[in-house]
Amino acid sequence: MKRLLSGNQAVARGAWEAGCNVAAAYPGTPSTEILENINRYPEIYTEWAVNEKVALEVVAGACFTGARALTAMKHVGVNVAADPMFTMAYSGVTGGLVIVTADDPGMWSSQDEQDNRHYGRHAKIPVLEPSDSNEAKLFTILAFDISEKFDTPVLLRLTTRICHSVTIVEFGKRKEHKIKGYVKDIKKRLVLPAHARIRHRIVEKRLIRLSRYSDIFPYNKIEWGKKSLGIITSGISYQYAKEIFPDASFLKLSFTYPVPIKLIRKFARQVKRLVVIEEGDPILENEIKVLGIKVTGKDKIPLCGELTPKVIRDSLKRPYKRTKKPLRAPARPPVLCPGCPHRGVFYVINKLKLTATGDIGCYTLGALPPLNAMDTCICMGASVTNAHGMEKALGAEFSQKTVAVLGDSTFYHSGITGLVNAVYNKGNLNLFILDNHTTAMTGHQPHPGTGRLAKGEAGKRVPPEDIVKGAGVEFVKIINPDSLKEVEEAIKQALAFDGVTVLIFRKPCALLTKPKPPFRIDPELCNGCRLCLRLGCPAISLTFPKEKKRPLAVIDQGLCVGCGLCVQMCPRKAIVLSKEKENGK
């Protein structure tokens, strides 16, 4: 049977067919749908972990028992998981262990565009790169086999276009994997220095065997065409290059670390000109240059941003006859949703002219005009530690105008340790947890604060206020973010407190709740003062009636969810419930 699947769906299918027993992940675009789709297979235990490091450690424990286990994360998530990943390269596996990294060239939803193929070389573990969904499924299965054959974790590297584009996938049957059970082996798994020195030599010998295997890996293959031009490529770049140079000879690499040295030499000897086309850093290019082979690569192909057929064509000056003007999608700037419970908090932060250290999540959009309520955003959890560091550098007085802002899911991911650090080190941290009961930006995955598990069943709820109090915070308040007055009063109280304070602004995400009756603008009362526009709500805009000298505000009835924030902004009480709703229609 064949079906159209995205790369992420195909990885999930591959995990199922490979007999995967356990999977864990933390959501992050473009990787999120991998666990969401694995979650649909009842044969695989799945869980959303609080961060990527935890997820990898969970599946590592599973593989120690002989289970086949998989974790998936976006590229920056591998930074979080790097600590156990490097050690797992030394300890090895028992059941197969696959780590999926979903890189984001072009930074469509990320703070950087790191090329995680570097992690293969750095951690000394093999890297597989699929070029379409069918290979994503197939390579997931092969990754488990390679992991067990060579006693190593395997890094499966996807990019955004592989994750989200759809191609035909051929289905197979699930091969059940029986878990052998745990057998104690401290020289292998207890990586203290005396054992690690021995394991390091094993790792280096394993790399030599992997290098030989790369030369015979069946998906590292030569496709002969005209030998005037030879192209070495991998991943999605293979698809683009084939489109631009259909007549050239290709060496398509899928096992990209360690590289197949003999195969590369064989290919290079038989082509007149050699070009390396790869997205991201010149990793293959440098590996080939080390072999003493002359290639064209990043001196022509852009280092930054996502590759496309056009980028490759323009870089190598390939002639092209354009027949039609290409269509361009209209720009759609990101914005907080109508009724977002974070909007009022950001409005007050801006109003009080506070310095706000921010974090990763949809609330990062609070940095955009007209709210302009965010000063920093580095990585998950850094809002807490950034604010603490700024206070220690500039003194306690600075903390009276500084707040750290992060979401509930991010608090569990990486915020807790920073909070404990601030309490322990006598900080004057003001932490705002924007608790919308979900992991909103990645698609509403559950977390410990929701009390729901990955498959939807009830779990044990872990309220953030319990953690905060347990960490020793004495000033803790739960605030309704729909009341601007209540928000402002609570913030002022927190800023005046000597010590660590935590305000939890609690209201479910607007996309998870039933909209209330919408509001409208009474044109007879509105004088066009534009105060309501300061909230940045996408439901409110201006209209320019001919009979009026000034523009008036207008509320889109299809977008308004009736949160009522704008009502609190209007001094003329010109924002009222729509007539239809008032009349019960």
Side-chain angles (χ1 to χ4, degrees), residues 26 74 76 109-111 358-364 374 376-383 405-407 409-410 441:
Y26 182 80
K74 67 181 297 174
V76 291
S109 59
S110 308
Q111 63 268 46
D359 226 297
I360 305 294
C362 48
Y363 39 86
T364 309
M374 198 84 88
T376 66
C377 179
I378 304 297
C379 62
M380 299 284 278
S383 59
V405 182
L406 84 174
S409 187
T410 308
M441 197 169 203

Side-chain angles (χ1 to χ4, degrees), residues 391-460:
E391 184 254 319
K392 289 302 180 186
L394 297 175
E397 187 177 347
F398 184 76
S399 69
Q400 295 175 357
K401 54 183 178 181
T402 305
V403 298
V405 182
L406 84 174
D408 42 342
S409 187
T410 308
F411 174 70
Y412 295 103
H413 181 285
S414 299
I416 295 172
T417 47
L419 175 65
V420 172
N421 180 69
V423 173
Y424 169 65
N425 287 296
K426 299 181 178 179
N428 284 287
L429 174 74
N430 300 300
L431 177 61
F432 295 177
I433 301 175
L434 305 184
D435 183 0
N436 62 3
H437 297 190
T438 189
T439 312
M441 197 169 203
T442 51
H444 300 111
Q445 292 76 25
H447 59 62
T450 67
R452 289 183 291 110
L453 303 184
K455 291 187 183 296
E457 71 269 37
K460 175 68 175 178

Side-chain angles (χ1 to χ4, degrees), residues 237-550:
S237 302
Y238 166 76
Q239 306 287 1
Y240 300 154
K242 286 288 283 188
E243 183 177 333
I244 303 302
F245 301 99
D247 299 329
S249 293
F250 277 80
L251 172 54
K252 178 183 182 299
L253 296 183
S254 302
F255 196 113
T256 53
Y257 185 76
V259 294
I261 295 173
K262 290 183 179 178
L263 196 60
I264 290 171
R265 289 189 188 282
K266 175 185 174 182
F267 184 72
R269 279 196 299 268
Q270 299 185 55
V271 296
K272 186 175 180 180
R273 182 190 179 203
L274 193 60
V275 177
V276 177
I277 299 177
E278 57 186 324
E279 198 169 53
D281 293 339
I283 292 177
L284 297 177
E285 179 184 339
N286 289 341
E287 292 274 3
I288 294 166
K289 284 181 175 176
V290 168
L291 300 176
I293 299 171
K294 184 180 179 181
V295 296
T296 296
K298 290 300 177 183
D299 52 331
K300 299 286 186 182
I301 307 293
L303 185 70
C304 303
E306 188 176 33
L307 292 187
T308 65
K310 182 179 185 304
V311 169
I312 294 172
R313 181 189 299 118
D314 293 347
S315 302
L316 298 173
K317 302 187 185 307
R318 179 75 168 174
Y320 175 62
K321 292 183 180 178
R322 178 170 292 163
T323 56
K324 292 183 179 179
K325 188 177 181 179
L327 297 175
R328 293 184 180 277
R332 189 176 68 88
V335 64
L336 290 173
C337 300
C340 174
H342 306 332
R343 178 170 280 105
V345 179
F346 286 127
Y347 169 76
V348 175
I349 289 174
N350 176 293
K351 178 184 176 183
L352 299 178
K353 301 188 185 307
L354 303 178
T355 298
T357 54
D359 226 297
I360 305 294
C362 48
Y363 39 86
T364 309
L365 301 174
L368 301 177
L371 296 171
N372 301 312
M374 198 84 88
D375 289 79
T376 66
C377 179
I378 304 297
C379 62
M380 299 284 278
S383 59
V384 189
T385 39
N386 283 171
H388 177 67
M390 293 167 83
E391 184 254 319
K392 289 302 180 186
L394 297 175
E397 187 177 347
F398 184 76
S399 69
Q400 295 175 357
K401 54 183 178 181
T402 305
V403 298
V405 182
L406 84 174
D408 42 342
S409 187
T410 308
F411 174 70
Y412 295 103
H413 181 285
S414 299
I416 295 172
T417 47
L419 175 65
V420 172
N421 180 69
V423 173
Y424 169 65
N425 287 296
K426 299 181 178 179
N428 284 287
L429 174 74
N430 300 300
L431 177 61
F432 295 177
I433 301 175
L434 305 184
D435 183 0
N436 62 3
H437 297 190
T438 189
T439 312
M441 197 169 203
T442 51
H444 300 111
Q445 292 76 25
H447 59 62
T450 67
R452 289 183 291 110
L453 303 184
K455 291 187 183 296
E457 71 269 37
K460 175 68 175 178
R461 181 169 180 263
V462 185
E465 56 267 32
D466 288 0
I467 296 174
V468 170
K469 292 174 183 174
V473 179
E474 297 174 0
F475 187 107
V476 183
K477 286 192 174 184
I478 299 172
I479 313 297
N480 172 17
D482 272 352
S483 169
L484 292 176
K485 182 179 179 182
E486 189 177 342
V487 169
E488 185 169 338
E489 286 178 355
I491 290 177
K492 288 180 176 177
Q493 290 174 10
L495 294 171
F497 186 82
D498 184 18
V500 176
T501 70
V502 174
L503 299 181
I504 301 172
F505 297 96
R506 177 166 291 160
K507 184 188 174 187
C509 173
L511 300 179
L512 296 178
T513 55
K514 184 179 179 181
K516 295 179 181 177
F519 289 91
R520 67 175 179 87
I521 303 291
D522 186 334
E524 299 302 320
L525 296 176
C526 177
N527 65 350
C529 70
R530 309 188 186 197
L531 284 176
C532 53
L533 296 179
R534 294 183 182 179
L535 287 170
C537 178
I540 309 176
S541 60
L542 289 179
T543 184
F544 300 83
K546 294 180 180 178
E547 66 277 14
K548 298 282 185 179
K549 294 182 179 179
R550 302 179 63 182

Side-chain angles (χ1 to χ4, degrees), residues 44-112:
I44 305 175
Y45 169 80
T46 56
E47 69 175 38
W48 289 114
V50 294
N51 65 36
E52 296 83 358
K53 178 177 181 289
V54 171
L56 177 52
E57 290 164 350
V58 167
V59 298
C63 90
F64 287 157
T65 71
R68 283 192 160 188
L70 178 146
T71 183
M73 57 199 72
K74 67 181 297 174
H75 60 300
V76 291
V78 178
N79 302 336
V80 182
D83 199 3
M85 185 174 78
F86 277 61
T87 307
M88 286 300 294
Y90 274 46
S91 68
V93 301
T94 304
L97 176 58
V98 178
I99 303 168
V100 184
T101 171
D103 294 5
D104 187 15
M107 295 177 282
W108 298 106
S109 59
S110 308
Q111 63 268 46
D112 66 39

